[in-house]
Coordinates of all heavy atoms in Angstrom, one line a residue:
M1 N 86.5 25.6 22.4 CA 87.1 24.4 23.0 C 88.5 24.2 22.4 O 88.7 24.3 21.2 CB 86.2 23.2 22.6 CG 86.6 21.9 23.4 SD 85.6 20.5 23.0 CE 84.2 20.7 24.1
G2 N 89.4 24.1 23.3 CA 90.8 23.9 22.9 C 91.1 22.6 22.3 O 90.3 21.7 22.4
K3 N 92.3 22.5 21.7 CA 92.7 21.2 21.1 C 92.8 20.1 22.1 O 92.4 19.0 21.8 CB 94.0 21.4 20.3 CG 94.3 20.3 19.3 CD 95.6 20.6 18.6 CE 95.8 19.5 17.6 NZ 96.3 18.3 18.2
N4 N 93.4 20.4 23.2 CA 93.6 19.3 24.2 C 92.2 18.8 24.7 O 92.1 17.6 24.9 CB 94.4 19.9 25.4 CG 95.9 20.1 25.0 OD1 96.3 19.4 24.0 ND2 96.6 20.9 25.7
A5 N 91.3 19.7 25.0 CA 90.0 19.3 25.5 C 89.3 18.4 24.4 O 88.6 17.4 24.7 CB 89.1 20.5 25.8
K6 N 89.5 18.8 23.2 CA 88.9 18.0 22.1 C 89.5 16.6 22.0 O 88.7 15.6 21.8 CB 89.2 18.7 20.7 CG 88.0 18.6 19.7 CD 88.3 19.5 18.6 CE 87.3 19.4 17.5 NZ 87.6 20.2 16.3
E7 N 90.8 16.5 22.2 CA 91.4 15.2 22.2 C 90.9 14.4 23.4 O 90.6 13.2 23.2 CB 93.0 15.4 22.4 CG 93.7 16.0 21.2 CD 93.8 14.9 20.1 OE1 94.2 13.8 20.4 OE2 93.5 15.3 19.0
L8 N 90.7 15.0 24.5 CA 90.2 14.3 25.7 C 88.8 13.7 25.5 O 88.5 12.6 25.8 CB 90.2 15.2 26.9 CG 89.9 14.6 28.3 CD1 91.1 13.7 28.7 CD2 89.8 15.7 29.3
W9 N 88.0 14.5 24.9 CA 86.6 14.1 24.7 C 86.4 13.0 23.6 O 85.4 12.4 23.6 CB 85.7 15.3 24.4 CG 85.3 16.0 25.6 CD1 85.8 17.1 26.2 CD2 84.3 15.5 26.6 NE1 85.2 17.4 27.4 CE2 84.3 16.4 27.6 CE3 83.4 14.4 26.5 CZ2 83.4 16.2 28.7 CZ3 82.5 14.3 27.6 CH2 82.5 15.2 28.7
K10 N 87.5 12.8 22.9 CA 87.4 11.7 21.9 C 87.4 10.4 22.6 O 87.0 9.4 22.1 CB 88.6 11.7 20.9 CG 88.4 12.8 19.9 CD 89.3 12.5 18.6 CE 90.8 12.4 19.0 NZ 91.6 12.4 17.7
L11 N 87.8 10.4 23.9 CA 87.9 9.2 24.7 C 86.5 8.8 25.3 O 86.3 7.7 25.8 CB 88.9 9.3 25.8 CG 90.3 9.6 25.4 CD1 91.1 9.8 26.7 CD2 90.9 8.5 24.6
Y12 N 85.6 9.7 25.1 CA 84.2 9.5 25.7 C 83.2 9.5 24.7 O 83.2 10.2 23.7 CB 83.9 10.6 26.8 CG 84.9 10.6 27.9 CD1 86.1 11.3 27.9 CD2 84.6 9.9 29.1 CE1 86.9 11.3 29.0 CE2 85.5 9.9 30.2 CZ 86.6 10.6 30.1 OH 87.5 10.6 31.1
E13 N 82.1 8.7 25.0 CA 81.0 8.7 24.1 C 79.8 9.1 24.9 O 79.4 8.4 25.8 CB 80.8 7.3 23.5 CG 79.9 7.2 22.3 CD 80.0 5.9 21.6 OE1 79.9 4.9 22.2 OE2 80.2 5.9 20.4
A14 N 79.2 10.2 24.5 CA 78.0 10.7 25.2 C 76.7 10.0 24.7 O 76.4 10.0 23.5 CB 77.9 12.2 25.0
D15 N 76.0 9.5 25.7 CA 74.7 8.9 25.3 C 73.6 9.8 26.0 O 73.3 9.7 27.2 CB 74.6 7.5 25.9 CG 73.3 6.8 25.5 OD1 72.4 7.4 25.0 OD2 73.3 5.5 25.7
Y16 N 73.1 10.7 25.2 CA 72.2 11.7 25.7 C 70.8 11.1 26.1 O 70.1 11.6 27.0 CB 72.0 12.9 24.7 CG 73.3 13.6 24.5 CD1 74.0 13.4 23.3 CD2 73.8 14.5 25.4 CE1 75.2 14.1 23.1 CE2 75.0 15.1 25.2 CZ 75.7 15.0 24.0 OH 76.9 15.6 23.8
K17 N 70.5 10.1 25.5 CA 69.2 9.4 25.7 C 69.1 8.9 27.2 O 68.2 9.0 27.9 CB 69.0 8.3 24.7 CG 67.5 7.9 24.6 CD 67.4 6.8 23.5 CE 66.0 6.1 23.5 NZ 66.0 5.0 22.6
N18 N 70.3 8.3 27.6 CA 70.3 7.7 28.9 C 71.1 8.5 29.9 O 71.4 8.1 31.0 CB 71.0 6.3 28.8 CG 70.1 5.3 28.0 OD1 68.9 5.2 28.2 ND2 70.7 4.7 27.0
M19 N 71.5 9.7 29.4 CA 72.3 10.6 30.2 C 73.6 10.0 30.8 O 73.9 10.0 32.0 CB 71.5 11.2 31.4 CG 70.3 12.1 30.8 SD 70.9 13.5 29.8 CE 71.6 14.6 31.1
R20 N 74.3 9.3 29.9 CA 75.4 8.5 30.3 C 76.6 8.9 29.4 O 76.4 9.1 28.3 CB 75.2 7.0 30.3 CG 74.6 6.5 31.6 CD 75.0 5.0 31.8 NE 74.7 4.2 30.6 CZ 74.2 3.0 30.6 NH1 73.9 2.5 31.8 NH2 73.9 2.3 29.5
V21 N 77.8 8.8 30.0 CA 79.0 9.0 29.2 C 79.9 7.8 29.4 O 80.2 7.3 30.5 CB 79.8 10.3 29.7 CG1 81.1 10.4 28.9 CG2 78.9 11.5 29.6
T22 N 80.2 7.2 28.2 CA 81.0 6.0 28.3 C 82.4 6.2 27.9 O 82.7 6.9 27.0 CB 80.4 5.0 27.3 OG1 79.0 4.9 27.5 CG2 81.1 3.6 27.4
F23 N 83.3 5.7 28.7 CA 84.7 5.9 28.5 C 85.2 4.9 27.4 O 84.9 3.7 27.5 CB 85.5 5.6 29.8 CG 87.0 5.9 29.6 CD1 87.5 7.2 29.4 CD2 87.9 4.9 29.7 CE1 88.8 7.4 29.3 CE2 89.3 5.1 29.6 CZ 89.7 6.4 29.4
K24 N 85.8 5.5 26.4 CA 86.2 4.6 25.2 C 87.7 4.4 25.2 O 88.3 3.9 24.3 CB 85.9 5.3 23.9 CG 84.4 5.3 23.7 CD 84.0 5.7 22.2 CE 84.5 7.0 21.8 NZ 84.3 7.3 20.4
G25 N 88.4 4.8 26.3 CA 89.8 4.7 26.4 C 90.3 3.2 26.3 O 89.5 2.3 26.5
R26 N 91.6 3.1 26.2 CA 92.1 1.7 26.1 C 92.7 1.2 27.5 O 93.0 2.0 28.3 CB 93.3 1.7 25.1 CG 92.8 1.9 23.7 CD 94.0 1.7 22.8 NE 93.6 2.2 21.4 CZ 94.5 2.1 20.4 NH1 95.7 1.6 20.6 NH2 94.1 2.5 19.2
R27 N 92.7 -0.1 27.6 CA 93.4 -0.6 28.7 C 94.7 -1.3 28.3 O 94.7 -1.8 27.2 CB 92.5 -1.7 29.4 CG 91.4 -1.1 30.3 CD 90.6 -2.2 30.9 NE 89.5 -1.6 31.7 CZ 89.7 -1.4 33.1 NH1 90.8 -1.6 33.6 NH2 88.7 -0.9 33.8
C28 N 95.6 -1.2 29.1 CA 96.9 -1.8 28.8 C 96.9 -3.3 28.6 O 96.2 -4.0 29.3 CB 97.9 -1.5 29.9 SG 99.6 -2.1 29.6
L29 N 97.6 -3.7 27.5 CA 97.6 -5.1 27.2 C 98.4 -5.9 28.2 O 98.2 -7.1 28.4 CB 98.2 -5.3 25.8 CG 97.4 -4.7 24.6 CD1 98.2 -4.8 23.3 CD2 96.0 -5.3 24.5
R30 N 99.3 -5.2 28.8 CA 100.2 -5.9 29.8 C 99.7 -6.0 31.2 O 99.6 -7.1 31.8 CB 101.6 -5.2 29.8 CG 102.5 -5.5 28.7 CD 103.8 -4.9 28.9 NE 104.7 -4.9 27.8 CZ 105.8 -4.1 27.6 NH1 106.1 -3.3 28.6 NH2 106.5 -4.2 26.6
C31 N 99.3 -4.8 31.7 CA 98.9 -4.8 33.1 C 97.4 -4.5 33.4 O 96.9 -4.6 34.5 CB 99.8 -3.8 33.9 SG 99.5 -2.1 33.5
G32 N 96.7 -4.1 32.3 CA 95.2 -3.8 32.4 C 94.8 -2.5 32.9 O 93.7 -2.2 33.1
K33 N 95.8 -1.6 33.2 CA 95.5 -0.2 33.6 C 95.1 0.6 32.4 O 95.3 0.3 31.3 CB 96.7 0.4 34.3 CG 97.0 -0.2 35.7 CD 98.1 0.6 36.4 CE 98.4 0.0 37.7 NZ 99.4 0.7 38.4
F34 N 94.4 1.7 32.7 CA 94.0 2.6 31.7 C 95.2 3.3 31.0 O 96.2 3.6 31.7 CB 93.0 3.7 32.2 CG 91.6 3.2 32.4 CD1 91.1 3.1 33.6 CD2 90.9 2.7 31.3 CE1 89.8 2.7 33.8 CE2 89.6 2.3 31.4 CZ 89.0 2.2 32.7
M35 N 95.1 3.5 29.7 CA 96.2 4.1 29.0 C 95.8 5.5 28.6 O 94.7 5.8 28.4 CB 96.5 3.3 27.7 CG 97.0 1.9 28.0 SD 97.2 0.9 26.5 CE 98.9 1.5 26.1
A36 N 96.8 6.4 28.7 CA 96.6 7.8 28.3 C 97.0 8.1 26.9 O 98.0 7.5 26.4 CB 97.4 8.7 29.3
H37 N 96.2 8.9 26.2 CA 96.5 9.2 24.8 C 97.3 10.5 24.7 O 97.0 11.4 25.4 CB 95.2 9.4 24.0 CG 95.4 9.6 22.6 ND1 95.4 10.9 22.0 CD2 95.8 8.8 21.6 CE1 95.7 10.8 20.7 NE2 95.9 9.5 20.4
H38 N 98.4 10.4 23.9 CA 99.2 11.6 23.7 C 99.2 11.8 22.2 O 99.4 10.9 21.4 CB 100.6 11.3 24.2 CG 100.6 11.1 25.7 ND1 100.6 12.1 26.7 CD2 100.7 9.9 26.4 CE1 100.6 11.5 27.9 NE2 100.7 10.2 27.7
S39 N 99.2 13.1 21.8 CA 99.2 13.4 20.4 C 100.5 14.0 19.9 O 100.7 14.1 18.7 CB 98.0 14.3 20.1 OG 98.1 15.5 20.9
T40 N 101.4 14.3 20.8 CA 102.7 14.9 20.4 C 103.8 14.1 21.1 O 103.7 13.6 22.2 CB 102.8 16.3 20.9 OG1 102.5 16.4 22.3 CG2 101.9 17.2 20.1
P41 N 104.9 13.9 20.4 CA 105.2 14.3 19.0 C 104.5 13.4 18.0 O 104.3 13.7 16.9 CB 106.7 14.2 18.9 CG 107.1 13.1 19.9 CD 106.1 13.3 21.0
V42 N 104.2 12.2 18.5 CA 103.4 11.3 17.6 C 102.2 10.7 18.4 O 102.2 10.7 19.6 CB 104.3 10.1 17.1 CG1 105.3 10.5 16.1 CG2 104.9 9.4 18.3
S43 N 101.2 10.4 17.6 CA 99.9 9.9 18.3 C 100.2 8.5 18.8 O 100.6 7.6 18.1 CB 98.8 9.9 17.2 OG 97.6 9.6 17.8
R44 N 99.9 8.4 20.1 CA 100.2 7.1 20.8 C 99.4 7.0 22.1 O 99.0 8.0 22.7 CB 101.7 7.0 21.1 CG 102.2 8.0 22.2 CD 103.7 8.2 22.1 NE 104.1 8.9 23.3 CZ 104.1 10.2 23.4 NH1 103.6 10.9 22.4 NH2 104.5 10.8 24.5
W45 N 99.3 5.8 22.5 CA 98.7 5.5 23.8 C 99.8 5.0 24.7 O 100.6 4.1 24.3 CB 97.7 4.4 23.7 CG 96.5 4.8 23.0 CD1 96.3 4.8 21.6 CD2 95.2 5.3 23.5 NE1 95.0 5.3 21.3 CE2 94.4 5.6 22.4 CE3 94.8 5.5 24.8 CZ2 93.1 6.1 22.6 CZ3 93.5 6.0 25.0 CH2 92.6 6.3 23.9
S46 N 99.9 5.5 26.0 CA 100.9 5.0 26.9 C 100.3 4.7 28.2 O 99.4 5.3 28.7 CB 102.1 6.0 27.0 OG 101.6 7.1 27.8
C47 N 100.9 3.6 28.8 CA 100.4 3.1 30.1 C 101.2 3.8 31.2 O 102.4 3.8 31.1 CB 100.5 1.6 30.1 SG 100.1 0.9 31.7
G48 N 100.5 4.3 32.2 CA 101.2 4.9 33.3 C 101.7 3.8 34.3 O 102.5 4.1 35.2
G49 N 101.2 2.6 34.2 CA 101.6 1.6 35.1 C 102.9 0.9 34.8 O 103.8 0.9 35.6
C50 N 103.0 0.4 33.5 CA 104.2 -0.3 33.2 C 105.0 0.3 32.1 O 106.1 -0.2 31.7 CB 103.8 -1.8 32.8 SG 102.9 -1.9 31.2
G51 N 104.5 1.4 31.5 CA 105.2 2.1 30.5 C 105.0 1.6 29.1 O 105.7 2.1 28.2
Y52 N 104.1 0.7 28.9 CA 103.8 0.1 27.6 C 103.3 1.2 26.7 O 102.4 2.0 27.1 CB 102.8 -1.0 27.7 CG 102.4 -1.6 26.4 CD1 103.2 -2.4 25.6 CD2 101.1 -1.2 25.8 CE1 102.8 -2.9 24.4 CE2 100.7 -1.7 24.6 CZ 101.5 -2.6 23.9 OH 101.1 -3.1 22.7
T53 N 103.8 1.3 25.4 CA 103.3 2.3 24.5 C 102.8 1.7 23.2 O 103.5 0.8 22.7 CB 104.5 3.3 24.1 OG1 105.0 3.8 25.3 CG2 104.0 4.4 23.3
D54 N 101.6 2.1 22.8 CA 101.1 1.6 21.6 C 100.9 2.8 20.6 O 100.1 3.7 20.9 CB 99.7 1.0 21.9 CG 99.1 0.3 20.7 OD1 99.8 0.1 19.7 OD2 97.9 0.0 20.7
Y55 N 101.7 2.7 19.5 CA 101.6 3.8 18.6 C 100.4 3.7 17.6 O 100.1 2.6 17.2 CB 102.9 3.8 17.7 CG 104.1 4.3 18.5 CD1 104.9 3.3 19.1 CD2 104.4 5.6 18.7 CE1 106.0 3.7 19.9 CE2 105.5 6.0 19.5 CZ 106.3 5.0 20.1 OH 107.3 5.4 20.8
E56 N 99.8 4.9 17.4 CA 98.6 4.9 16.6 C 99.0 5.2 15.2 O 99.7 6.2 14.9 CB 97.6 6.0 17.2 CG 96.2 5.7 16.9 CD 95.3 6.7 17.7 OE1 95.5 7.9 17.5 OE2 94.5 6.2 18.5
I57 N 98.5 4.4 14.3 CA 98.8 4.7 12.9 C 97.7 5.4 12.2 O 96.6 5.0 12.3 CB 99.1 3.4 12.1 CG1 100.3 2.7 12.7 CG2 99.3 3.6 10.7 CD1 100.3 1.2 12.7
K58 N 98.1 6.6 11.7 CA 97.0 7.4 11.0 C 96.7 6.9 9.6 O 97.6 6.5 8.9 CB 97.5 8.8 11.0 CG 97.7 9.4 12.4 CD 97.0 10.8 12.5 CE 96.9 11.2 13.9 NZ 97.1 12.6 14.1
H59 N 95.4 6.9 9.3 CA 95.0 6.5 8.0 C 94.6 7.6 7.1 O 94.1 8.6 7.6 CB 93.8 5.5 8.1 CG 94.1 4.3 8.9 ND1 94.8 3.2 8.4 CD2 93.9 3.9 10.2 CE1 95.0 2.3 9.3 NE2 94.4 2.7 10.4
Ligands
ZN1 ZN1 100.6 -1.3 31.6

């Protein structure tokens, strides 16, 4: 599994008992659309609708 695929799957939570996959992605605080996660150059979430960007702080 490549790095990008791994990043993508972090957005989903697999429930094998109920055979369901739940999307854990974020919704934009401004317009409510789904936000895309980007890991380069810095980890952040960005909205395709209004351009809002939320930077992820690593712990
Ligand atoms: Zn937005």
